[in-house]
Amino acid sequence: MTPDELREIDQDIAVHGARAGDFVRLGDTDLVVRVESDDRQIGNELQIGFGKNARDGIGMRSVRSDESCDVVITNVLVIDALQGIRVTSIGIRNGRISAIGRSGNPDTMDNIDVIVGSGTVIIPGEGLIATAGGIDSHVHAMSPRVCDAALSSGVTTLIAQEFGPFWGVGVGSSWALQHGHNSFASWPLNVGILGRAAGSTTAPLFEALEGGVCGFKIHEDTGAHPRTLDTALTFADEHDIAIALHTDGLNEMMNVDDTINVIAGRAVHAYHVEGCGGGHAPDVLRMAGHDNILASSTNPTLAYGVNAADEHIAMIISAHGMNPELPSDVEIARRRVRNATMAAENRLHDMGVIPVTSSDALGMGRADDTWRKTFAMASMFADRAILDGTVEADKVVTSNERVLRHVAKITINPALVHGLSHEVGAIKEGLLADIVLWPYKSFASKPNMVIKGGIPSWGVVGDPGATVANAQPLVIGPQFGAFGVAPADLGVHFTNSASTVTVAGRRSVPVKNTRTVRGHQMLHHGVLGEVNVDPTGHTVTFNGEIVTSDPISTSSLTRTYLL
Amino acid sequence: MELTPSEQDRLLIFTAAQLAQSRRDRGLKLNHPEAVALICHAVIEAARDGASHSQALAIGQSVVRSDELLPGVASMLFGVAVEAVFDDGRRLVVVDFPGSDTDVPGQVTRLSSSPTVTPSDVVTLDVHNDSSVQISVTTHMHFFEVNPRLRFDREKAYGRHLNIPAGEHVDFPAGSTVSVKLLPITGERVMIGFAGLVDGSLDAPGAKAQAMEKAKKLGYLDGGAS
């Protein structure tokens, strides 16, 4: 192409962002996606601003928002497990996604899907990527600031296990639960709390159920015995709630096969299935690949790195109330740390066997690192496309399917596992407008704006006394949706249908379909098979083939962006 | 000190810049937040030293060099905005780092030229600006209803807009004549509002004649045959 043509392309991309057929590199990763489609009509692109066409009678129709929409995100690159990778516009009405497609005024533009009213709030999406808000299905809310960290990383839904600073791994007291729900209503987040399923009878489970939990946690630190496990799963089947499981890492009462037998085909969310976070040593990873066992990873072992093993011994001792002076504590901590299973875990993610990533925030994981680590892991396996303008379009290897698979791990799949998908997990008509906008250059590392229930609630803010909104020092912090009574209204309390709890100003929504969810339904995943772990050398196989990966010495999405 | 929130924010820049400087002193390549902090700090201190706006901008552009940056960072240093206290008051300075990099986070690659459409129904008109000021018309404005002081064949412009890329405009300098190309308005072709000359469907029976009548009555200049 001539210099003039190249200049014209640069200018078009600067104004309109990527178009159909364009290749977009995600942050500083090796992931390059190709834009599948663009809903805009060439020449009729809706644009807001001085001298632009989003004006009354042109791009905006003079109607009320019930005939248009409250908010529209225009011309944004959507990366979503259901939508694929496409440029489109997202209309929002009453906090929910009302329409997806071409935006504008049907009076003057063809085939408009999202009618923009003269009063509609317009968020220009050119140059930005929109994803559904992240769902972190494994959070120890040991500090209220974990909510700030989560929001600052593009997470809008938390499945919390306590509200600290105490070690909870599930909350049993309905009195305490009420206060937890009240407190979480201060953040523009959807929050569900897991009850503690450490009951050999159902009495404590009933109390937590009435106290408005959205599921239960079984943890070896409070008892992952055959009886507690079976009691919880039987109870879950009766009440349609999810069970999150941290298995018996000591093999004190059972081996991993016994745990799988007690589960007996019932749906369960297997937390940190690699085992560093806890669970049957050394072979808890064998729980992955079963249809009824929905496995997840926690983020410190993702993008398996050269220092991963070294950081974990101290982390385990610190997180689990152990003492480094006590040799027996150090010994059982050591047994949880295995390079070979970490190396295999990352590969199993890429293969589509493990469908969910999460943080384990403040309990052996980082609340604000799940997007970053999930995509740094995806980048490990990417073919770096060489896009110097000489590659023929049909020869470029793109990462579209890999990227959609990894988006699914932090959005739709945890929503399905925890019974939230009737409210959140995707960019889909009818769901809550929980949407994260990311610059192309910092995708998955630093979001630009976190839209919660249709309202910008967190994101980049600058010098408050400046003439413009983007003056340094730019920090990621609360937006208007995070103040006053707005947060309670914008977030939901995920609960169960037998709950007797109400939370002032906040909608309570029972989870559902938690008992019928299966591994084969996991989007962009669903690969089932037999995982085996050699008990001595820890070599991992999947259907008989060795699975492993090499540790990385440099992680993407990290050094370029973090102070 | 009675520091305002904005003043407290400057301390955040100062702290980040000190950290970045200490890392640079150890010979480390700078990442994005480190480079931004050094640029902002340099601009703020230049202003404090009595520099002019253009001098402070030049200092901000040169305080870090491309070879001091990690790969990809140079391409991210675009539009670094910071407010500094100059002797004549607080001023906004926007620094675009002049260096470049072949490693570009978020790079968009287009292998063929940008998509265009070849319109089939184009009308070309000469438009004369009778007023004493420049008039600019944007892409999708109903050209029939633009400023009454533009003299052109209004009938031919009925139901049409400029054939230029969305978001751009055509300037009509005072007293000059400019040739424009017009395309049919798409969609349901309903013109609500504007100057109120149509205020309904463009293609309704009699709508055009009525609009022409109204324009004439209101003194819209018309260079058309009738």
Side-chain angles (χ1 to χ4, degrees):
Chain A
M1 278 181 283
T2 65
D4 275 355
E5 281 173 316
L6 290 171
R7 200 160 33 246
E8 186 279 324
I9 287 173
D10 283 350
Q11 185 187 311
D12 188 72
I13 291 168
V15 173
H16 296 290
R19 293 185 185 268
D22 287 352
F23 299 88
V24 181
R25 179 186 182 196
L26 303 183
D28 70 347
T29 70
D30 289 349
L31 300 162
V32 175
V33 296
R34 186 166 198 188
V35 180
E36 294 162 5
S37 63
D38 183 347
D39 286 331
R40 290 173 290 195
Q41 186 179 21
I42 305 294
N44 265 339
E45 299 91 343
L46 189 71
Q47 292 176 287
I48 183 83
F50 181 34
K52 306 304 174 191
N53 61 4
R55 293 198 266 161
D56 176 58
I58 303 176
M60 305 197 302
R61 197 181 227 180
S62 185
V63 291
R64 292 177 65 109
S65 51
D66 54 5
E67 294 176 44
S68 55
C69 51
D70 296 312
V71 179
V72 62
I73 305 165
T74 57
N75 310 326
V76 71
L77 176 57
V78 167
I79 298 184
D80 181 78
L82 297 181
Q83 299 292 336
I85 298 175
R86 55 184 279 221
V87 176
T88 192
S89 296
I90 305 165
I92 298 165
R93 199 187 294 150
N94 295 325
R96 290 183 183 272
I97 296 169
S98 57
I100 300 167
R102 181 181 293 171
S103 60
N105 177 0
D107 288 346
T108 64
M109 297 166 170
D110 293 332
N111 303 318
I112 294 300
D113 305 294
V114 184
I115 299 174
V116 177
S118 297
T120 297
V121 171
I122 300 181
I123 300 174
E126 292 89 352
L128 297 172
I129 291 168
T131 66
I135 297 173
D136 189 348
S137 56
H138 190 157
V139 176
H140 296 279
M142 302 290 282
S143 153
R145 297 182 70 199
V146 80
C147 299
D148 299 8
L151 280 160
S152 298
S153 75
V155 167
T156 53
T157 299
L158 304 184
I159 302 297
Q161 300 174 40
E162 64 273 284
F163 44 102
F166 46 70
W167 183 238
V169 289
V171 183
S173 157
S174 61
W175 174 85
L177 280 164
Q178 176 73 64
H179 289 83
H181 301 313
N182 291 348
S183 178
F184 281 125
S186 303
W187 283 272
L189 284 166
N190 312 310
V191 182
I193 306 179
L194 296 180
R196 186 188 296 166
S200 44
T201 68
T202 55
L205 279 68
F206 266 115
E207 179 178 346
L209 192 75
E210 289 156 14
V213 297
C214 69
F216 282 88
K217 171 77 178 280
I218 299 170
H219 193 295
E220 63 171 328
D221 288 10
T222 57
H225 313 145
R227 171 70 78 81
T228 51
L229 185 49
D230 184 59
T231 302
L233 285 164
T234 304
F235 192 77
D237 279 349
E238 288 163 6
H239 298 286
D240 191 3
I241 44 170
I243 298 294
L245 174 60
H246 169 139
T247 56
D248 179 4
L250 299 170
N251 305 313
E252 183 181 24
M253 297 200 73
M254 32 182 192
N255 282 5
V256 65
D257 288 334
D258 306 320
T259 290
I260 292 168
N261 286 336
V262 173
I263 294 168
R266 292 174 286 190
V268 71
H269 178 179
Y271 272 176
H272 37 62
V273 73
E274 181 275 330
C276 222
H280 294 290
D283 53 357
V284 65
L285 189 55
R286 289 178 58 197
M287 293 181 74
H290 293 259
D291 199 23
N292 63 306
I293 300 176
L294 296 319
S296 68
S297 293
T298 47
N299 61 34
T301 57
L302 301 186
Y304 169 49
V306 292
N307 291 309
D310 284 345
E311 89 158 330
H312 270 94
I313 307 272
M315 197 197 300
I316 291 165
I317 288 171
S318 175
H320 287 276
M322 299 159 84
N323 191 325
E325 303 295 317
L326 203 58
S328 76
D329 275 7
V330 174
E331 172 52 27
I332 57 171
R334 263 185 207 293
R335 261 185 254 153
R336 278 167 57 163
V337 184
R338 300 166 298 267
N339 277 300
T341 50
M342 292 185 205
E345 174 193 36
N346 281 243
R347 180 69 69 180
L348 290 169
H349 269 288
D350 196 59
M351 291 164 64
V353 179
I354 304 175
V356 174
T357 56
S358 64
S359 71
D360 203 354
L362 302 181
M364 288 193 59
R366 298 179 176 88
D368 59 0
D369 224 15
T370 309
W371 277 101
R372 186 176 296 116
K373 290 300 208 171
T374 300
F375 281 89
M377 172 170 66
S379 181
M380 284 169 66
F381 301 108
D383 300 303
R384 186 161 183 170
I386 301 162
L387 296 167
D388 58 2
T390 60
V391 181
E392 285 174 50
D394 56 358
K395 300 225 172 76
V396 172
V397 180
T398 67
S399 291
N400 285 35
E401 177 51 30
R402 178 171 278 119
V403 165
L404 293 175
R405 178 173 302 147
H406 285 75
V407 160
K409 290 177 198 288
I410 186 173
T411 57
I412 187 70
N413 288 344
L416 290 166
V417 170
H418 281 272
L420 322 174
S421 64
H422 51 305
E423 291 281 343
V424 296
I427 294 180
K428 180 184 168 190
E429 280 178 38
L431 293 186
L432 285 177
D434 294 355
I435 297 167
V436 184
L437 300 181
W438 312 84
Y440 298 167
K441 67 182 178 186
S442 64
F443 176 76
S445 192
K446 290 194 172 176
N448 173 268
M449 190 189 295
V450 178
I451 296 166
K452 179 71 196 73
I455 297 291
S457 295
W458 214 264
V460 175
V461 291
D463 175 352
T467 50
V468 293
N470 67 330
Q472 298 285 347
L474 295 178
V475 297
I476 301 179
Q479 291 281 18
F480 281 100
F483 290 97
V485 295
D489 176 52
L490 294 172
V492 304
H493 158 222
F494 281 117
T495 183
N496 68 82
S497 47
S499 164
T500 58
V501 164
T502 56
V503 185
R506 178 158 279 195
R507 198 163 54 92
S508 289
V509 180
V511 299
K512 61 182 185 189
N513 306 324
T514 62
R515 308 314 308 152
T516 50
V517 63
R518 289 295 179 270
H520 72 267
Q521 300 161 346
M522 296 289 103
L523 272 82
H524 301 283
H525 289 75
V527 177
L528 306 178
E530 188 178 280
V531 177
N532 258 309
V533 181
D534 169 32
T536 48
H538 308 145
T539 301
V540 178
T541 59
F542 182 73
N543 291 337
E545 302 281 325
I546 291 176
V547 282
T548 188
S549 59
D550 295 324
I552 54 166
S553 51
T554 305
S555 174
S556 55
L557 299 174
T558 304
R559 180 63 75 214
T560 308
Y561 304 93
L562 298 181
L563 191 65
Chain B
M1 289 192 284
E2 292 131 359
L3 299 179
T4 64
S6 283
E7 290 173 283
Q8 292 174 54
D9 270 13
R10 292 208 176 91
L11 297 178
L12 196 56
I13 291 173
F14 176 75
T15 307
Q18 292 288 98
L19 177 64
Q21 184 61 46
S22 77
R23 290 174 175 176
R24 177 156 73 169
D25 290 344
R26 300 205 304 276
L28 297 178
K29 303 258 189 194
L30 302 170
N31 69 13
H32 179 248
E34 290 158 356
V36 170
L38 283 175
I39 291 170
C40 293
H41 179 67
V43 170
I44 289 167
E45 293 315 294
R48 182 66 184 85
D49 290 342
S52 69
H53 187 280
S54 61
Q55 287 166 338
L57 174 62
I59 287 168
Q61 285 169 331
S62 58
V63 65
V64 293
R65 300 188 318 265
S66 289
D67 63 4
E68 294 178 314
L69 302 171
L70 281 170
V73 172
S75 71
M76 299 165 76
L77 300 176
F78 180 80
V80 175
V82 64
E83 297 227 331
V85 183
F86 287 85
D87 288 345
D88 74 336
R90 292 156 68 187
R91 300 288 172 202
L92 174 70
V93 179
V94 181
V95 180
D96 291 327
F97 183 69
S100 63
D101 196 338
T102 52
D103 186 319
V104 180
Q107 181 166 35
V108 179
T109 305
R110 186 172 295 171
L111 298 181
S112 52
S113 48
S114 300
T116 51
V117 281
T118 314
S120 54
D121 180 8
V122 183
V123 162
T124 305
L125 288 179
D126 283 339
V127 179
H128 182 76
N129 180 358
D130 263 24
S131 82
S132 59
V133 298
Q134 173 166 305
I135 294 169
S136 302
V137 179
T138 57
T139 31
H140 286 77
M141 179 58 67
H142 184 204
F143 207 84
F144 175 79
E145 301 187 63
V146 298
N147 196 318
R149 294 167 196 83
L150 290 179
R151 183 188 298 276
F152 57 95
D153 188 338
R154 296 257 167 191
E155 187 175 5
K156 285 189 177 156
Y158 184 82
R160 288 178 179 271
H161 70 91
L162 286 166
N163 178 26
I164 52 173
E168 297 187 11
H169 66 271
V170 172
D171 290 329
F172 301 93
S176 71
T177 299
V178 176
S179 175
V180 298
K181 292 187 185 334
L182 301 176
L183 293 178
I185 285 166
T186 56
E188 293 165 18
R189 292 175 49 80
V190 175
M191 289 293 104
I192 302 288
F194 303 103
L197 298 185
V198 181
D199 232 5
S201 171
L202 282 165
D203 305 319
K208 187 176 183 177
Q210 212 171 340
M212 288 293 294
E213 188 60 31
K214 210 164 179 181
K216 194 173 177 185
K217 197 179 290 178
L218 290 169
Y220 279 72
L221 297 181
D222 195 336
S226 53

